[in-house]
Amino acid sequence: MTAHWLKNVLVRAGVSGADALDLPPALPLRDAWQRVAQSLHLQDEAVAAHVASRFHLRQADLASAAVNVAKLVPESIARKHRVVPLREDDHDIVVATSDPTDIDAEQAISFASGRQVSFEVAPPAAIDAEIERRYAHDAAVTSLLQRVDAAPADGVRIVDEIAGAVSKAHGGESSAVVKLANLLLDAAVEHRASALEIVAAGGQGSVSFRVDSVWMRFMQMPLPAMHHVIGRLRVIGNVGIAGRGKSRDGSARVRIEGKEYDLRVSMGTSGGAPRALVRIYDQQFRPLLAELGLSPDSDLAIRELLAGTGFVIVTGPMDSGAAVVLYAALRDLATSRRVAFAEDVLRWDVAGVQHIPLDPASGAEALRRAAQEVDVLAVGTLSDVAVAQTLAEAAARGKLAIARVEASSVRAAVDEVARLVGHASIPGLRAAIAVRHFRNVCQTCAAAAGTPGPSCESCHGTGFRGLSPVLAVLTPGDAAGWSEQGGLSAELRAHVAAGTTTEAEAERILSGGGIDAAPPGDRPRILVADDDPLIRLLARTVLEADGLEVTEASDGADAVTQVSRATDLSLVILDLDMPRLDGHAVLARLKREVRTAGIPVVVLTASTNPADEAKALDSGADDYIRKPIDPPRFLARVRAVLRRASG
């Protein structure tokens, strides 16, 4: 039977007793190495010396390994093949291994680094220890945060779980993971976001905020960092832990910059990768109806409804503002009437209102008991037959019953309630309130009434800041047949005329459309920043021929501007010697901001000064390529950086 290659090495080296070694070919290398040490009384370094001599290789000095070279070999490859990157130059990478026969390792490293691979030899135990030191489980997160100007890691405090139990502040995550998750929550609040989403897109982790009802992409991060942050959000929301079984939803209350927010954390998948959605509710947001900015006619109409009895439906699509109107109405009602409100988890605290959790097993019965004692019954999200019938019964007995129904139109909402109640017409139905909200023109940067002007920090470049609701009150006898378009249109046109919003925003609301950030394309998008147009042309030609999308910047200042406006850059290729702002300054600025710190950067330069290379790599560059451009090698290195970024 064929012997293990390690036994053959020792036999050929003339090591005494090697012929008698029992080393089956399939024995794992670390076990074989240990058996050699025990049977032949050889130190690990002595075995490594024999292996190195047999394959005409050097013995590795793990202590002298360059710090930045680790970024060229992903952790997954290092652990799978048990290798440690030692040093590299523009063409080659030197890697420590215990198994010079591992051709798969050589191919994987070459593919990931874009360089030719050379091996040096080290014992398995030493390599394993070095891997643990180099590739901490949060290495991608730590690297992302190293140069970021940001608040300290304790800027976000978990107050308690919505259900009342004290939530864990940590779930075994490193301080770097906690800090990055905190930074994202803090940034979301600073942008006034109502939701935060993290999902894999274009080979990287994509972070988006929903600001004033519109999604905007905030930043990208390496996939390993994304997985760690999603894990942290899972812990914050107690999703699938702490007795929740396999639940994919959770909640928590946090304090950020002295203000409290309730988080609804939902976990799922997208394209086979994990996805996290965090809805954010500011607990200081507690407006009354008079504070919503409704028109006099709308304010009067809704107050007349609330002063009476019967069944009232509040409706609109997801994130239409219907919940805001409902909660404001409940606050007003609670000042003069006894109110019971059924909702799974309260979005905002409502003083003076009896809260009834919408438990599927007991929610309807609890609501029915409450109906004997209160004047008003309200449901935050109506979807249960028994609950709908309880509301209808209460309305028939002279109570005011209010139900929020998420639907694309009033007609759809009325039909859904009728289906739940079990009647063609809803008993006691008085009216339906159709709600939408529009974005207000940012007054700081508006160049003219009703027209968004140059972007500013107040609105984060959108031209809008804040939301205002508009509504239409419709009754069963309306000739429009439950069509809300007329009423909503009149309200919106009034706001356009007043300069509160724009014609385009009104059209967006009426059409039911959105202007969410465009999803990333199938092709990675690369920015080439170089003041030499011939270099930009050559780089673009090589990259586009391989199916990559390319944009250009003619100097450092132009590069910073383009990166600040982009939401889907996969890579920046950066010259060092550029006017207005050199490449070192651009790199430092990109890595300093949390939104851009995760974008990979490749330096492409004519500089032969080793100090420039060291400075660029220390500042966070992912690779360093010297001019002139050699198309095959240039493309291989760019592709290698993109692969590493995608995990």
Side-chain angles (χ1 to χ4, degrees), residues 537-614:
L537 176 60
L538 178 56
R540 173 188 284 274
T541 301
V542 172
L543 297 172
E544 288 185 340
D546 197 55
L548 301 170
E549 184 179 342
V550 179
T551 56
E552 299 179 18
S554 58
D555 58 37
D558 186 20
V560 169
T561 299
Q562 291 202 45
V563 173
S564 68
R565 293 174 177 172
T567 59
D568 59 346
L569 276 179
S570 300
L571 178 71
V572 174
I573 297 175
L574 188 64
D575 186 23
L576 291 182
D577 186 12
M578 292 187 292
R580 294 206 292 169
L581 204 63
D582 69 18
H584 287 301
V586 174
L587 178 60
R589 187 171 298 189
L590 296 185
K591 296 302 180 181
R592 190 167 60 238
E593 299 291 333
V594 66
R595 194 185 72 82
T596 56
I599 301 175
V601 176
V602 171
V603 169
L604 176 65
T605 180
S607 172
T608 58
N609 185 350
D612 277 333
E613 180 176 5

Side-chain angles (χ1 to χ4, degrees), residues 149-212:
D149 287 342
D154 61 355
V156 177
R157 296 282 190 179
I158 301 176
V159 179
D160 58 15
E161 190 180 359
I162 300 303
V166 176
S167 177
K168 296 179 181 179
H170 295 272
E173 311 94 336
S174 71
S175 60
V177 173
V178 172
K179 181 177 181 181
L180 182 54
N182 287 355
L183 285 174
L184 293 180
L185 290 172
D186 187 75
V189 166
E190 193 270 332
H191 280 72
R192 301 174 296 103
S194 60
L196 174 157
E197 182 190 53
I198 306 180
V199 66
Q204 291 189 294
S206 176
V207 181
S208 297
F209 296 157
R210 188 172 179 87
V211 179
D212 294 339

Side-chain angles (χ1 to χ4, degrees), residues 302-523:
I302 194 171
R303 288 185 186 280
E304 288 179 347
L305 282 178
L306 298 180
T309 61
F311 204 127
V312 175
I313 299 171
V314 181
T315 187
M318 179 183 294
D319 297 315
S320 65
V324 173
V325 171
L326 174 60
Y327 273 76
L330 293 177
R331 292 188 185 96
D332 277 48
L333 286 165
T335 62
S336 59
R337 304 173 76 177
R338 294 169 298 172
V339 181
F341 181 42
E343 180 77 296
D344 184 18
V345 180
L346 288 176
R347 300 177 184 220
W348 300 280
D349 291 336
V350 186
V353 171
Q354 178 186 348
H355 173 226
I356 299 173
L358 266 181
D359 182 89
S362 59
E365 181 57 34
L367 193 65
R368 188 172 292 110
R369 290 196 300 270
Q372 309 302 317
E373 306 170 356
V374 301
D375 307 306
V376 180
L377 288 183
V379 175
T381 305
L382 184 62
S383 60
D384 182 82
V385 170
V387 170
Q389 292 174 346
T390 299
L391 289 181
E393 292 167 2
R397 295 198 307 271
K399 307 281 186 179
L400 176 61
I402 308 174
R404 173 180 165 268
V405 180
E406 189 175 289
S408 59
S409 67
V410 169
R411 177 77 266 174
V414 171
D415 288 347
E416 174 63 10
V417 175
R419 183 189 68 81
L420 292 171
V421 173
H423 293 276
S425 60
I426 303 167
L429 179 61
R430 283 193 61 204
I433 304 173
V435 183
R436 302 290 189 275
H437 55 197
F438 62 85
R439 295 181 297 166
N440 299 307
V441 168
C442 175
Q443 296 304 309
T444 304
C445 70
T451 304
S455 64
C456 68
E457 291 186 4
S458 178
C459 65
H460 299 285
T462 65
F464 297 92
R465 181 178 173 87
L467 294 167
S468 293
V470 290
L471 56 86
V473 177
L474 307 174
T475 61
D478 283 342
W482 295 115
S483 174
E484 64 265 41
Q485 289 298 100
L488 292 174
S489 178
E491 292 278 315
L492 283 166
R493 300 304 171 199
H495 284 286
V496 172
T500 311
T501 192
T502 66
E503 183 74 30
E505 178 69 0
E507 290 298 331
R508 181 180 77 89
I509 300 302
L510 292 173
S511 67
I515 50 175
D516 293 353
D522 294 334
R523 300 187 300 165

